[in-house]
Amino acid sequence: MMSGKKWGVALWLVAAAAAILTCAVSRLITVGDNPGWTPNVNYTDWASHQHLYVGDWLLFRFDKRYYNVVEVNKTNYEQCNEREFITNITKGGRDVFQVTEARPYYFISRGGYCYNGMKVTINVEASPPAPAPAPANSSPSKTSAQVVLSIVSAIAVYIW
Ligand SMILES: *[C@@H]1O[C@H](CO)[C@@H](O)[C@H](O)[C@H]1NC(C)=O
Ligand SMILES: *[C@@H]1O[C@H](CO)[C@@H](O)[C@H](O)[C@H]1NC(C)=O
Ligand SMILES: *[C@@H]1O[C@H](CO)[C@@H](O)[C@H](O)[C@H]1NC(C)=O
């Protein structure tokens, strides 16, 4: 039987491993790629080529003298209604936002720029497709999960 303390340590290790794994798979996606967050970019077109997953981060790069970014609901997105918003993401012009749910997210710039195309819908998916199985004769390379597990078991052996 493991003592209460050891269970605590075990739980901590599992949580740490989960945190490391989450970091390993979440990505930072620059909205709009090179032009960033600016008028006259077709973000519908941009978004149609993206796959965003729960846990990913969005990076909005923009000139904060003119533009900003807020999350709005669907109605206010469609109508470019900037009076109501859900989250103010604007800080310094290199601002990040983590998507935490599998659902559409709607972002606009206030200041009238929504009408100039500064609006984007991002459909967040639950999880990335499973990686293709490695060919049988390929050299063994560890996945990040295996690396984390071996670190965790090494620590566990040391503690026990
Ligand atoms: C933006 O791109 C989408 C998809 O490619 C297209 O259907 C739409 O007409 C474009 N919008 C504008 C304003 O060009
Ligand atoms: C969005 O919020 C507005 C109020 O700001 C509300 O009238 C509208 O019904 C909401 N739309 C959705 C899709 O929730
Ligand atoms: C959003 O936050 C920024 C930075 O704190 C602030 O300057 C701006 O006024 C805020 N916008 C709104 C609409 O609250």
PDB file of all heavy atoms in Angstrom, residues 145-158:
ATOM      1  N   ALA A 145       5.501  11.969 -25.314  1.00  0.00           N
ATOM      2  CA  ALA A 145       4.828  11.251 -24.230  1.00  0.00           C
ATOM      3  C   ALA A 145       5.782  10.245 -23.595  1.00  0.00           C
ATOM      4  O   ALA A 145       5.871  10.140 -22.374  1.00  0.00           O
ATOM      5  CB  ALA A 145       3.593  10.546 -24.760  1.00  0.00           C
ATOM      6  N   GLN A 146       6.509   9.526 -24.454  1.00  0.00           N
ATOM      7  CA  GLN A 146       7.432   8.526 -23.919  1.00  0.00           C
ATOM      8  C   GLN A 146       8.549   9.183 -23.118  1.00  0.00           C
ATOM      9  O   GLN A 146       8.958   8.672 -22.084  1.00  0.00           O
ATOM     10  CB  GLN A 146       8.029   7.699 -25.062  1.00  0.00           C
ATOM     11  CG  GLN A 146       7.023   6.711 -25.635  1.00  0.00           C
ATOM     12  CD  GLN A 146       7.532   6.097 -26.923  1.00  0.00           C
ATOM     13  OE1 GLN A 146       8.225   6.738 -27.711  1.00  0.00           O
ATOM     14  NE2 GLN A 146       7.191   4.832 -27.142  1.00  0.00           N
ATOM     15  N   VAL A 147       9.022  10.324 -23.616  1.00  0.00           N
ATOM     16  CA  VAL A 147      10.086  11.026 -22.900  1.00  0.00           C
ATOM     17  C   VAL A 147       9.595  11.443 -21.522  1.00  0.00           C
ATOM     18  O   VAL A 147      10.245  11.204 -20.509  1.00  0.00           O
ATOM     19  CB  VAL A 147      10.552  12.262 -23.697  1.00  0.00           C
ATOM     20  CG1 VAL A 147      11.495  13.112 -22.861  1.00  0.00           C
ATOM     21  CG2 VAL A 147      11.223  11.828 -24.985  1.00  0.00           C
ATOM     22  N   VAL A 148       8.372  12.026 -21.492  1.00  0.00           N
ATOM     23  CA  VAL A 148       7.820  12.468 -20.212  1.00  0.00           C
ATOM     24  C   VAL A 148       7.651  11.289 -19.277  1.00  0.00           C
ATOM     25  O   VAL A 148       8.019  11.347 -18.106  1.00  0.00           O
ATOM     26  CB  VAL A 148       6.466  13.186 -20.422  1.00  0.00           C
ATOM     27  CG1 VAL A 148       5.779  13.407 -19.097  1.00  0.00           C
ATOM     28  CG2 VAL A 148       6.686  14.504 -21.131  1.00  0.00           C
ATOM     29  N   LEU A 149       7.132  10.173 -19.808  1.00  0.00           N
ATOM     30  CA  LEU A 149       6.918   9.007 -18.956  1.00  0.00           C
ATOM     31  C   LEU A 149       8.229   8.496 -18.384  1.00  0.00           C
ATOM     32  O   LEU A 149       8.303   8.131 -17.215  1.00  0.00           O
ATOM     33  CB  LEU A 149       6.226   7.894 -19.749  1.00  0.00           C
ATOM     34  CG  LEU A 149       4.718   8.095 -19.887  1.00  0.00           C
ATOM     35  CD1 LEU A 149       4.104   6.976 -20.699  1.00  0.00           C
ATOM     36  CD2 LEU A 149       4.065   8.186 -18.506  1.00  0.00           C
ATOM     37  N   SER A 150       9.289   8.502 -19.190  1.00  0.00           N
ATOM     38  CA  SER A 150      10.544   7.988 -18.641  1.00  0.00           C
ATOM     39  C   SER A 150      11.106   8.943 -17.594  1.00  0.00           C
ATOM     40  O   SER A 150      11.654   8.494 -16.595  1.00  0.00           O
ATOM     41  CB  SER A 150      11.557   7.675 -19.740  1.00  0.00           C
ATOM     42  OG  SER A 150      11.572   8.691 -20.687  1.00  0.00           O
ATOM     43  N   ILE A 151      10.920  10.236 -17.795  1.00  0.00           N
ATOM     44  CA  ILE A 151      11.366  11.190 -16.759  1.00  0.00           C
ATOM     45  C   ILE A 151      10.588  10.953 -15.472  1.00  0.00           C
ATOM     46  O   ILE A 151      11.158  10.839 -14.396  1.00  0.00           O
ATOM     47  CB  ILE A 151      11.158  12.647 -17.234  1.00  0.00           C
ATOM     48  CG1 ILE A 151      12.086  12.953 -18.408  1.00  0.00           C
ATOM     49  CG2 ILE A 151      11.408  13.628 -16.086  1.00  0.00           C
ATOM     50  CD1 ILE A 151      11.794  14.266 -19.098  1.00  0.00           C
ATOM     51  N   VAL A 152       9.257  10.824 -15.634  1.00  0.00           N
ATOM     52  CA  VAL A 152       8.406  10.641 -14.451  1.00  0.00           C
ATOM     53  C   VAL A 152       8.785   9.362 -13.727  1.00  0.00           C
ATOM     54  O   VAL A 152       8.930   9.347 -12.505  1.00  0.00           O
ATOM     55  CB  VAL A 152       6.917  10.617 -14.857  1.00  0.00           C
ATOM     56  CG1 VAL A 152       6.065  10.101 -13.715  1.00  0.00           C
ATOM     57  CG2 VAL A 152       6.473  12.012 -15.273  1.00  0.00           C
ATOM     58  N   SER A 153       9.009   8.272 -14.465  1.00  0.00           N
ATOM     59  CA  SER A 153       9.318   7.033 -13.746  1.00  0.00           C
ATOM     60  C   SER A 153      10.691   7.112 -13.094  1.00  0.00           C
ATOM     61  O   SER A 153      10.896   6.581 -12.010  1.00  0.00           O
ATOM     62  CB  SER A 153       9.185   5.805 -14.648  1.00  0.00           C
ATOM     63  OG  SER A 153       9.781   6.056 -15.878  1.00  0.00           O
ATOM     64  N   ALA A 154      11.622   7.823 -13.730  1.00  0.00           N
ATOM     65  CA  ALA A 154      12.934   7.999 -13.106  1.00  0.00           C
ATOM     66  C   ALA A 154      12.793   8.744 -11.780  1.00  0.00           C
ATOM     67  O   ALA A 154      13.357   8.325 -10.759  1.00  0.00           O
ATOM     68  CB  ALA A 154      13.869   8.759 -14.044  1.00  0.00           C
ATOM     69  N   ILE A 155      11.986   9.804 -11.780  1.00  0.00           N
ATOM     70  CA  ILE A 155      11.790  10.565 -10.536  1.00  0.00           C
ATOM     71  C   ILE A 155      11.092   9.690  -9.501  1.00  0.00           C
ATOM     72  O   ILE A 155      11.472   9.663  -8.332  1.00  0.00           O
ATOM     73  CB  ILE A 155      10.951  11.840 -10.801  1.00  0.00           C
ATOM     74  CG1 ILE A 155      11.689  12.760 -11.768  1.00  0.00           C
ATOM     75  CG2 ILE A 155      10.652  12.572  -9.499  1.00  0.00           C
ATOM     76  CD1 ILE A 155      10.849  13.931 -12.265  1.00  0.00           C
ATOM     77  N   ALA A 156      10.087   8.930  -9.956  1.00  0.00           N
ATOM     78  CA  ALA A 156       9.317   8.095  -9.044  1.00  0.00           C
ATOM     79  C   ALA A 156      10.224   7.079  -8.363  1.00  0.00           C
ATOM     80  O   ALA A 156      10.175   6.893  -7.150  1.00  0.00           O
ATOM     81  CB  ALA A 156       8.195   7.390  -9.798  1.00  0.00           C
ATOM     82  N   VAL A 157      11.102   6.436  -9.132  1.00  0.00           N
ATOM     83  CA  VAL A 157      12.017   5.434  -8.576  1.00  0.00           C
ATOM     84  C   VAL A 157      12.899   6.096  -7.528  1.00  0.00           C
ATOM     85  O   VAL A 157      13.136   5.566  -6.447  1.00  0.00           O
ATOM     86  CB  VAL A 157      12.885   4.815  -9.701  1.00  0.00           C
ATOM     87  CG1 VAL A 157      14.097   4.103  -9.130  1.00  0.00           C
ATOM     88  CG2 VAL A 157      12.032   3.873 -10.538  1.00  0.00           C
ATOM     89  N   TYR A 158      13.346   7.290  -7.822  1.00  0.00           N
ATOM     90  CA  TYR A 158      14.222   8.018  -6.907  1.00  0.00           C
ATOM     91  C   TYR A 158      13.500   8.305  -5.588  1.00  0.00           C
ATOM     92  O   TYR A 158      14.039   8.104  -4.510  1.00  0.00           O
ATOM     93  CB  TYR A 158      14.652   9.325  -7.582  1.00  0.00           C
ATOM     94  CG  TYR A 158      15.500  10.202  -6.717  1.00  0.00           C
ATOM     95  CD1 TYR A 158      16.847   9.899  -6.506  1.00  0.00           C
ATOM     96  CD2 TYR A 158      14.963  11.329  -6.103  1.00  0.00           C
ATOM     97  CE1 TYR A 158      17.628  10.698  -5.705  1.00  0.00           C
ATOM     98  CE2 TYR A 158      15.741  12.137  -5.305  1.00  0.00           C
ATOM     99  CZ  TYR A 158      17.069  11.823  -5.097  1.00  0.00           C
ATOM    100  OH  TYR A 158      17.831  12.635  -4.308  1.00  0.00           O
TER     101      TYR A 158
END
